[in-house]
Amino acid sequence: MAITSECRICSGEVVEFIDLGRQPLADAFRLPESREPEFFYRLSVGACRGCQMVQLMEEVPRERMFHQDYPYLSSGSTVMRAHFEGMAKRLLATELQGSDPFVVEIGCNDGVLLRTIAASGVRHVGVEPSGGVADLAASEGVTVRKDFFEESTALDILDSQGHADVIYSANTFSHIPYVDSVLRGIKALLAPGGVFVFEDPYFGDIIERTSFDQIYDEHFFFFTAQSVARMAELSGLELVDVEPLPTHGGQLRYTLVHAGARRPSDAVAARIAEEERRELTAPDTLSRFVSGVERVRTELVDELKRIRDRGERVVGYGATAKSATVLNYCGIGPDLLEFICDSTPAKQGRVTPGMHIPVRSPEEYRRSYPEYALLLAWNHAEEIMAKEKAFQEAGGRWIRYVPEVSVT
Ligand code: SAH
Ligand code: TYD
Ligand code: ZN
């Protein structure tokens, strides 16, 4: 019997297609001496028969994930800093109306995008529930409201600040299961000619690259143009543009407006036609994906065991949230991966969720190179390869597992 749940978009039937087992919270890095019981949930994903939206079967309470000590810093990558600075400049140049425009960001994290908006003097607010990262944004001159964005937050902002010309959200809209409330909020807060722009990992790329590590507690929805178009329609909004992005392993940026406010670009129909041709949520496609995931697990674990049995060392590179899924699903612990290096201060000195692999600074990896490095932050490959050229020059080899297991 298929396992089903109710779609958060259209109330249709969501049919499970992959079960990644009992998983910890992906960003819950622990002190090594902690005796606190660890929180686990069942990580599984389904596709809605009605609107095609791909979504988690179980929801983790938001306060468990996003709190004062949420460790992820958006500014940790030079490439991402440039990406968001570019986007901020584009929004400033193209989407502001009237003499006192207003920009709202949902999930501004450490202010990586809004610092450029703040520096230009444009009125703005970043809504960010995680206190530590919100404080970093404020220290960059960004106006922050420490809160979860939902309908009540939106109505409150509307009351005090008026309509928004731009509502922007990167890597956050997909994190929000209570999307009905958020969409009602956006519909109310958005100016008549305004845009709601968001970017998130693209399900088409996840299927193409077997990047199953995009699946973890924080990533509730896996969008396609088809499912977003339907979601918009059900909310009185309309999808008028889609733009593929190379960031975070393949994303799509969606532009929504009040229904009928702008003519959709040709890119929308073209993308939807391509998705129909690829049958992204057809049972065959999904079962091929599951087989691919199982193959990656077998090959990766075999590779790591062979290296260990030869007495050689492997260190992980990038204690990503994504890596929690790979390590826990594959059962990779400190016996196979000595430690993981990561530049984020709040992760160093801790151990990874579930598998309890130590996280150390990149300097520790550079001090005594291992024979192999497992590229867990594969979405930042170019930046990391450039930074760590000396590793390969010294004979070190990179292990990757996206789109397939390879050693170079
Ligand atoms: N925009 C940044 C941050 C992504 S991390 C980037 O692209 O790098 C996701 C962020 O969303 C976290 O900082 C988290 O605290 C925040 N978040 C989670 N739920 C939210 C909600 N309902 N409203 C606003 N922010 C939220
Ligand atoms: P990222 O892949 O952006 O996100 P997620 O945690 O959502 O999967 O995380 C990248 C991690 O890699 C982050 O903890 C910072 C770290 N990192 C480095 O240690 N060095 C680097 O050069 C880069 C780009 C990232
Ligand atoms: Zn649905």
Side-chain angles (χ1 to χ4, degrees):
M1 261 284 280
I3 298 176
T4 60
S5 65
E6 188 182 321
C7 177
R8 302 298 299 245
I9 306 296
C10 77
S11 303
E13 188 181 47
V14 179
V15 181
E16 180 175 311
F17 63 86
I18 190 164
D19 179 357
L20 294 162
R22 241 169 64 87
Q23 291 275 349
L25 305 180
D27 268 312
F29 293 85
R30 295 160 65 82
L31 290 170
E33 63 276 15
S34 173
R35 293 289 166 265
E36 291 272 301
E38 218 164 349
F39 176 86
F40 285 88
Y41 68 104
R42 193 175 75 93
L43 179 60
S44 53
V45 192
C48 176
R49 284 186 204 273
C51 70
Q52 316 291 314
M53 184 67 83
V54 177
Q55 53 201 286
L56 294 191
M57 303 297 291
E58 280 184 26
E59 174 182 345
V60 170
R62 61 189 189 180
E63 290 79 8
R64 281 194 180 271
M65 300 184 280
F66 309 115
H67 45 69
Q68 182 63 30
D69 301 320
Y70 180 70
Y72 181 74
L73 297 181
S74 301
S75 296
S77 149
T78 312
V79 170
M80 293 312 298
R81 284 202 299 275
H83 170 79
F84 287 122
E85 187 186 338
M87 186 55 189
K89 287 185 172 155
R90 184 163 122 189
L91 291 172
L92 288 172
T94 60
E95 295 298 347
L96 303 186
Q97 298 164 31
S99 57
D100 181 23
F102 181 40
V103 175
V104 174
E105 186 178 11
I106 305 174
C108 68
N109 197 273
D110 61 8
V112 70
L113 176 115
L114 282 183
R115 73 177 71 147
T116 304
I117 307 273
S120 75
V122 166
R123 198 156 55 86
H124 65 276
V125 65
V127 183
E128 174 52 68
S130 297
V133 297
D135 289 341
L136 290 174
S139 74
E140 293 278 337
V142 169
T143 307
V144 194
R145 177 179 171 133
K146 279 190 200 175
D147 228 335
F148 287 95
F149 187 96
E150 56 189 330
E151 187 178 20
S152 57
T153 331
L155 294 179
D156 204 44
I157 294 172
L158 176 65
D159 231 29
S160 54
Q161 305 246 47
H163 285 109
D165 300 281
V166 175
I167 303 177
Y168 175 78
S169 190
N171 305 297
T172 303
F173 195 57
S174 62
H175 294 43
I176 303 181
Y178 41 98
V179 66
D180 46 344
S181 163
V182 168
L183 286 167
R184 282 197 305 274
I186 288 168
K187 178 79 185 154
L189 180 58
L190 194 64
V195 286
F196 169 42
V197 180
F198 65 97
E199 55 197 68
D200 280 287
Y202 178 48
F203 189 64
D205 289 319
I206 294 176
I207 288 290
E208 188 179 309
R209 298 172 192 185
T210 322
S211 44
F212 67 98
D213 58 353
Q214 294 285 9
I215 305 169
Y216 56 93
D217 53 347
E218 294 167 33
H219 287 176
F220 191 86
F221 289 114
F222 302 90
F223 298 128
T224 59
Q226 275 177 306
S227 59
V228 168
R230 183 78 187 119
M231 174 183 77
E233 201 180 312
L234 290 169
S235 322
L237 298 166
E238 189 174 355
L239 175 63
V240 293
D241 202 16
V242 290
E243 181 188 355
L245 303 173
T247 44
H248 288 309
Q251 302 199 295
L252 219 51
R253 177 182 285 153
Y254 306 87
T255 302
L256 274 55
V257 298
H258 288 290
R262 291 190 192 182
R263 206 182 74 80
S265 76
D266 296 341
V268 175
R271 177 64 61 162
I272 290 176
E274 188 196 308
E275 290 174 355
E276 282 168 357
R277 184 183 55 72
R278 290 180 64 193
E279 299 192 82
L280 286 177
T281 55
D284 278 359
T285 312
L286 298 174
S287 66
R288 267 199 305 278
F289 171 73
V290 175
S291 307
V293 173
E294 288 165 352
R295 189 169 57 244
V296 167
R297 169 167 66 178
T298 308
E299 292 182 5
L300 180 59
V301 171
D302 286 353
E303 187 63 51
L304 294 176
K305 283 185 174 159
R306 278 197 295 273
I307 295 170
R308 178 193 58 191
D309 294 347
R310 289 201 298 268
E312 295 177 320
R313 299 171 58 216
V314 193
V315 162
Y317 202 108
T320 56
K322 291 182 286 294
S323 71
T325 298
V326 179
L327 301 173
N328 286 279
Y329 171 71
C330 298
I332 297 168
D335 56 324
L336 292 176
L337 205 57
E338 190 178 315
F339 66 88
I340 299 176
C341 73
D342 193 287
S343 58
T344 314
K347 296 182 184 178
Q348 294 166 4
R350 299 195 166 231
V351 298
T352 62
M355 297 314 294
H356 300 179
I357 299 174
V359 182
R360 305 202 178 128
S361 74
E363 284 67 38
E364 290 222 29
Y365 144 87
R366 287 176 202 133
R367 191 170 304 142
S368 156
Y369 284 135
E371 279 84 5
Y372 295 88
L374 174 61
L375 187 58
L376 295 165
W378 55 269
N379 46 311
H380 299 293
E382 270 184 39
E383 181 172 348
I384 291 172
M385 297 293 163
K387 189 184 293 184
E388 304 296 353
K389 269 214 303 272
F391 170 59
Q392 269 183 311
E393 285 164 7
R397 300 179 73 187
W398 288 101
I399 306 173
R400 306 203 194 203
Y401 56 89
V402 178
E404 58 194 6
V405 177
S406 67
V407 183
T408 50

